Amino acid sequence: PGVARYFHDLLLSMFVASGVHPRISQYAGQIPTLLALVSAGLGVALVPESASRICPDTVALLPVSEKDPSDRVNRVELDIAWSRETQNPLVPAILALIDEEGGDVAIDALGA
């Protein structure tokens, strides 16, 4: 909760929505640490899908079912900001990737 309050509260709301009341014995702020704790047999963790890239073979990753009642709160909203004067070719590439993946991209022009 001290490192990532938003995600901590999101996960707790997912548990509550599913009628689950976890007994939390460890807090960790980094995904590799969470996966190591799980690998050591010290419980379970909710991690983003991207954790599959670094997941040890001793840990099984299962998706949260879209039928799970917690799915309605299982949403993360991220914002992206960049300078209008940027010449960085990554900006349009990132926006195209977000659009390609089905993300909602709302571009708001900010005044100077």
Side-chain angles (χ1 to χ4, degrees), residues 14-57:
M14 288 175 65
F15 282 123
V16 169
S18 295
V20 175
H21 302 284
R23 184 177 52 91
I24 300 170
S25 59
Q26 295 280 339
Y27 282 106
Q30 300 294 319
I31 293 168
T33 305
L34 292 168
L35 294 173
L37 290 168
V38 171
S39 182
L42 297 174
V44 299
L46 289 171
V47 296
E49 186 177 348
S50 61
S52 65
R53 296 185 201 127
I54 60 170
C55 187
D57 293 338

Side-chain angles (χ1 to χ4, degrees), residues 28-108:
Q30 300 294 319
I31 293 168
T33 305
L34 292 168
L35 294 173
L37 290 168
V38 171
S39 182
L42 297 174
V44 299
L46 289 171
V47 296
E49 186 177 348
S50 61
S52 65
R53 296 185 201 127
I54 60 170
C55 187
D57 293 338
T58 56
V59 173
L61 290 179
L62 301 172
V64 174
S65 170
E66 291 182 11
K67 295 178 183 177
D68 187 294
S70 71
D71 189 59
R72 64 183 162 74
V73 295
N74 182 17
R75 300 286 179 253
V76 176
E77 190 172 304
L78 299 174
D79 295 314
I80 180 172
W82 65 94
S83 169
R84 281 183 260 158
E85 288 83 29
T86 188
Q87 304 263 331
N88 188 330
L90 285 178
V91 171
I94 289 171
L95 292 174
L97 180 62
I98 292 169
D99 188 48
E100 183 179 299
E101 291 297 321
D104 293 327
V105 178
I107 300 175
D108 294 324

